[in-house]
Each structure stands twice: as C-alpha cells, then as structure tokens.
Amino acid sequence: MALAKKIKIISLINSLGPAGAERVLLQLAQNIDKEKFEFSVCCLEKDVTLKKDFEEAGVEVVSLDIGRKYDPRALWRLYRFLKKGNFDILHTHLPYAGTLGRIAGRLAGVPKIASTEHNVLDSFKPLTGFLDRSTLFLADIVTCVAEEVERSFFGSPTNPFSKGLLLSGPKHLTIYNGIDFKEIEGILNRIDPAAKRKELGIGEGDPVVFNAARLIPWKGHADLIKSFSKVVAALPNAKLLIAGWGPLEEELRKQIIDLDLEGNIFLLGCRRDVKEILKIADVFSLPYNFKGRFNGGWMSIAIMEAMAASKPIVITAVPGVEIAVVDGKTGVVVPSGNTDKLAEAFLFLINDPKTSEMMGRDGHDLAKKNFNIEDKVRQYEAVYEKLYLTR
C-alpha cells in the first residue's frame, strides 16, 4: 500500500522493565517497517531497563518519569506530550497506560487510538480492571494477545486476525504474540552450555528445570517450589532456576529455606540472558495458579521462547494454553495447584530424554508455524494502515 508519508505512531506503556508486554513492544519496534512508520515509545514510570534496546532498534524513547501509578500529574503530562507530538496513532499497552492514554489521547485530539490487552481481565485488581474496561470505548480498535484474553473482555465469539476481518472494521480482534526465531536460534548456536552451567554454578550432569516469570501469585511459583521438593527426593542433583522479580521474592526465599532446598533452587532475579539459560534447561515450566480467580491463561512470551529453543513445556491446565502446549505432544499439562502431578511431570521428562527431545522438537515446529514475529508485525502494520486510512 503506497502512503503519502510515514505514519507517525506513539506506543504508550507503563514502563520499560524486561517483562512480557514490554518485550512484545520491543519486538514490534525492532521489526516494524521503518520506511512506512515513524515509530516511537513513551513510558509512564521510572523503570527504563530496556531503553537501550529500543534505541538500538532506531526508536526514540520518552519517559514521563511518573513515580507512582495514577499520580494526578500523569494525565496532565501525558496530555501535553500527546498534544505537542502531532501523532497519527496512539497505541497503548497494559491497563494503566491504556486508561490514561485513551483519556489523554482523546483530549489531545490524537486521530486514532489502538489498545492492546496482554492479560485476561480478571488477572487485574478490581479497580484496575474496572478503569481499563470502562475506558475501552475510547479506543478505535482493541487487539488481544490471545482469544482467551479477548473473550474475557468481550465475550464470544472471538475474532482471530485475518485481512478479510480487518476490512470489515472490527472493534476488537486477536493478534497472538510472536517471537524472533532468528534471534533465538542465533543466541543458542553461540552459547557454550558447559560455560553457562559453570557461570550459574550448575554441575555438568545436573538436570535443570527453568522458569522465567514475574514473581506474582498467579504465576504459580509457590507450587513450583513445593513440587521440587519431591523432585529432589528422587534426583538429589536436580536444579530449579527461576528468573524473575516481583513482590513475592522474600516469601519464596523463605519457602526455599523452609524446605531445605537452598542448594537446589536458585532465584536468579531480573535477567537479560533468559534465552542463554534456555540452552542448559531440560524442561521449562510455568504452572499458573489463579487460586479461585478467573481460571484463564494464554501463551506468554517466555513459553514461546522455550518452545523456540526446543524445550518441552510443563504447564497447568488453564484455558488458552492449548493453542501451543498440547499434552503429550509438545509438553505435559497438569491440574492447576497439583504439586504431585507437577513433580511427576518433571521426573517423567528428565528420566525420558528421548520423549523430552521429541516434545521439544514438535513444540519448536508448532511455534515456528504459528508464532513467528514477522507475521505478527505485519498484522499490526495492517491495523495501523487501516486506522490511518480511516482517520
């Protein structure tokens, strides 16, 4: 499609910490067609860990340096920024940035607003979810990273992306997350597994289960740690590596000490080498546990990256994950909250390397077919062009 000028897009997000939504936005920034789009990023909060990565992708980054969520000054600062920017499209990510962005964007006269929902509605605190959902009418289009996310906001039926669907002018649709296979395969090819194990203090023959996720309740870290006491009872040299940060860190450290697992479980904190650590993992696990809240899940970037690295996945049975983790084919699916079944799955995959390798290979192939970042970026570009031409 020939355009008279570049489409000027500003993406708005809470922060630039190395979490899932921020990494989705980074991949979009790295792969978007710079000949068609003038793409920049604004973050509301102080964490700009990924700023250099965005700048290396040729993307300007602006931080409004807001100290706390829903600071009364945030809306005014954002309004002034958007008013001066002369943007064609505002694209918001996450509830906080979405709520403020849609209000400020309309007040500032931004011609078109898109919002992306990265999590199911009931995973948010009640007030956050209410404010997010009640301002969605201000967006021209809402994209969701999985059909389960779309369903939680809009009910059924859902609208998986297609060019034909986009032409019909939907209010909401699903664009799955994607991953950069070329980048991941390049990293894996250059990593020396023996050196990486030595760096992390892992023995050459030690089985490794890996988890990468924010340390928040519904990611299931407490279940993961509890299950690993059973794994260690059978395999004393087994190791569990957890990469992530969050409010549960001290609680999880205490749990590890109470279970006498300090030599087997390692909280690695915020890491920039997650893809490198995947090289030495035998299994990747993300045991969601919503503990009575909405029982919904979706395919996180971390799971997709593990599949790209040909690792079998152990995950809990929540709606949405079945699009990639097929029980018995690309991984093992266990009941949410069942630590005995979780431990059994780890032991099964560690003790049966042939099956583990087969699941990893099938997962790689499935992810490459359905979750390639190049395809997902082209879909977002189509959304931008549609919005621009109907402004």
Side-chain angles (χ1 to χ4, degrees):
M1 182 182 298
L3 299 170
K5 72 176 190 71
K6 288 185 180 181
I7 301 174
K8 191 173 183 181
I9 299 166
I10 180 67
S11 284
L12 180 70
I13 197 164
N14 298 0
S15 75
L16 293 182
E22 292 83 353
R23 291 163 65 200
V24 170
L25 179 56
L26 176 59
Q27 291 180 329
L28 180 56
Q30 290 169 330
N31 290 276
I32 197 167
D33 187 343
K34 303 297 195 302
E35 296 298 316
K36 289 184 177 180
F37 303 95
E38 184 180 334
F39 194 88
S40 55
V41 171
C42 175
C43 65
L44 297 173
E45 299 173 350
K46 295 176 180 294
D47 188 344
V48 291
T49 304
L50 294 177
K51 181 179 180 180
K52 183 178 178 182
D53 300 79
F54 280 93
E55 291 176 340
E56 288 176 351
V59 172
E60 180 184 4
V61 174
V62 175
S63 173
L64 297 186
D65 201 26
I66 304 298
R68 58 187 174 86
K69 278 186 169 57
Y70 301 108
D71 186 318
R73 297 168 295 176
L75 186 61
W76 173 242
R77 288 188 192 177
L78 183 57
Y79 164 79
R80 289 192 302 170
F81 170 72
L82 294 175
K83 189 72 174 176
K84 291 168 55 178
N86 195 31
F87 301 107
D88 296 308
I89 298 170
L90 165 65
H91 186 177
T92 71
H93 299 260
L94 299 175
Y96 173 43
T99 299
L100 291 186
R102 288 186 289 272
I103 294 171
R106 287 303 175 202
L107 292 174
V110 178
K112 292 290 182 177
I113 298 176
S115 290
T116 293
E117 295 292 352
H118 294 262
N119 299 294
V120 290
L121 177 61
D122 285 350
S123 66
F124 307 125
K125 293 178 180 178
L127 179 59
T128 300
F130 170 77
L131 292 172
D132 187 31
R133 190 175 189 180
S134 64
T135 57
L136 281 179
F137 76 96
L138 296 171
D140 295 284
I141 192 167
V142 179
T143 68
C144 302
V145 301
E147 288 175 74
E148 199 64 35
V149 176
E150 185 181 2
R151 189 175 293 112
S152 75
F153 279 89
F154 302 103
S156 296
T158 57
N159 299 317
F161 177 91
S162 72
K163 290 184 178 179
L165 171 68
L166 187 62
L167 290 174
S168 71
K171 180 68 176 181
H172 53 86
L173 52 80
T174 290
I175 297 178
Y176 290 120
N177 286 336
I179 47 175
D180 190 333
F181 276 82
K182 292 179 183 177
E183 178 199 20
I184 293 172
E185 289 168 358
I187 290 172
L188 294 175
N189 287 338
R190 70 170 181 261
I191 292 300
D192 178 354
K196 197 65 185 178
R197 281 177 172 268
K198 184 177 180 180
E199 175 191 333
L200 295 170
I202 306 299
E204 185 60 33
D206 294 351
V208 174
V209 174
F210 184 40
N211 165 277
R214 285 201 65 204
L215 307 182
I216 53 180
W218 52 269
K219 297 287 187 175
H221 292 96
D223 291 342
L224 185 59
I225 291 169
K226 183 179 179 181
S227 75
F228 217 70
S229 63
K230 302 176 178 68
V231 175
V232 171
L235 297 171
N237 64 332
K239 302 295 189 291
L240 170 61
L241 307 181
I242 299 175
W245 80 105
L248 292 186
E249 182 172 351
E250 290 307 312
E251 181 179 324
L252 296 176
R253 287 193 186 281
K254 183 177 184 304
Q255 183 185 6
I256 291 168
I257 292 170
D258 290 345
L259 292 172
D260 195 24
L261 293 172
E262 298 103 309
N264 298 94
I265 302 179
F266 303 92
L267 298 181
L268 303 179
C270 181
R271 305 285 300 203
R272 296 179 64 88
D273 61 346
V274 166
K275 301 180 187 71
E276 297 178 14
I277 298 173
L278 282 169
K279 180 78 173 185
I280 67 168
D282 296 288
V283 180
F284 183 88
S285 181
L286 210 171
Y288 294 116
N289 189 339
F290 287 83
K291 296 185 183 298
R293 301 178 71 187
F294 177 83
N295 188 28
W298 54 97
M299 297 316 303
S300 75
I301 290 293
I303 292 172
M304 292 180 181
E305 289 177 343
M307 293 174 72
S310 299
K311 303 301 174 180
I313 310 298
V314 173
I315 197 167
T316 46
V318 292
V321 301
E322 68 278 357
I323 63 173
V325 185
V326 182
D327 188 34
K329 181 170 175 61
T330 64
V332 179
V333 181
V334 303
S336 182
N338 191 323
T339 57
D340 289 334
K341 292 295 184 182
L342 201 56
E344 287 176 15
F346 294 145
L347 291 170
F348 167 67
L349 290 171
I350 290 169
N351 290 324
D352 190 344
K354 185 176 180 180
T355 297
S356 189
E357 181 182 355
M358 178 193 69
M359 287 184 177
R361 185 173 61 249
D362 288 346
H364 173 277
D365 294 345
L366 187 152
K368 195 163 191 175
K369 178 181 178 183
N370 295 328
F371 308 117
N372 195 309
I373 189 61
E374 294 176 359
D375 297 333
K376 306 312 170 186
V377 171
R378 300 293 87 79
Q379 291 173 6
Y380 276 113
E381 289 178 351
V383 170
Y384 294 151
E385 291 178 354
K386 175 72 177 345
L387 290 175
Y388 179 72
L389 293 172
T390 56
R391 70 197 187 282

